[in-house]
Amino acid sequence: MTARIRPLRLEAFEQLPKHARRCVYWEVDPSTLGTDDHLSDPEFEKEAWLSMVMLEWGSCGQLALDCRDQAGESGDEPCLGYAFYAPPRRVPRAGRFPTGPVSADAVLLTSLGVEAGAGHEDLSHALITAVVGD
């Protein structure tokens, strides 16, 4: 499988798998949830968090895109994997990391996902390499 790793841009938010767009465990302060621990629109919250981090800090995600049948960046390439990361001050639940406390100059890898399927064995390594390189 041919994959291309590139930094996440907000325009590519819809390319992320649904579970990656909806998971906001690290990105949302639990004190804002109230007693029901439920968000009415988690995709909106995730996109807002990404936007805030990108504006204040820069790139905070990497995508692995299937580019075997695509030329260029059409925005239609299927997402095979993703990684999200940010400085601890932008991760409300950073204190919950079992290796904490996290140094203020660290970068937290909050999530990494690779879609199930043949040929994806090396994508997690490629995504980590892209995060470290960024």
Side-chain angles (χ1 to χ4, degrees):
M1 172 126 340
T2 305
R4 179 171 42 92
I5 309 293
R6 68 178 178 123
L8 174 64
R9 295 177 28 204
L10 281 179
E11 297 82 26
F13 183 76
E14 293 297 322
Q15 285 178 270
L16 288 165
K18 187 171 187 155
H19 58 273
R21 294 190 317 255
R22 298 180 58 82
C23 179
V24 293
Y25 179 82
W26 298 108
E27 294 87 355
V28 174
D29 186 347
S31 67
T32 65
L33 294 176
T35 57
D36 64 356
D37 285 344
H38 178 73
L39 292 169
S40 61
D41 191 353
E43 285 188 45
F44 173 80
E45 297 296 333
K46 181 73 153 217
E47 192 170 11
W49 180 82
L50 287 168
S51 178
M52 177 197 65
V53 174
M54 287 177 184
L55 283 171
E56 294 179 10
W57 186 66
S59 179
C60 60
Q62 298 288 327
L63 292 180
L65 301 173
D66 182 356
C67 60
R68 70 184 148 184
D69 296 326
Q70 303 289 331
E73 294 186 31
S74 66
D76 296 333
E77 303 94 343
C79 180
L80 302 174
Y82 58 88
F84 298 115
Y85 49 97
R89 70 181 181 281
R90 295 293 166 233
V91 180
R93 293 187 191 223
R96 291 184 178 233
F97 269 81
T99 56
V102 180
S103 173
D105 64 346
V107 175
L108 296 175
L109 177 66
T110 58
S111 33
L112 176 98
V114 175
E115 295 302 296
H120 298 161
E121 296 83 18
D122 295 330
L123 282 182
S124 59
H125 182 265
L127 285 163
I128 294 287
T129 299
V131 170
V132 171
D134 186 34

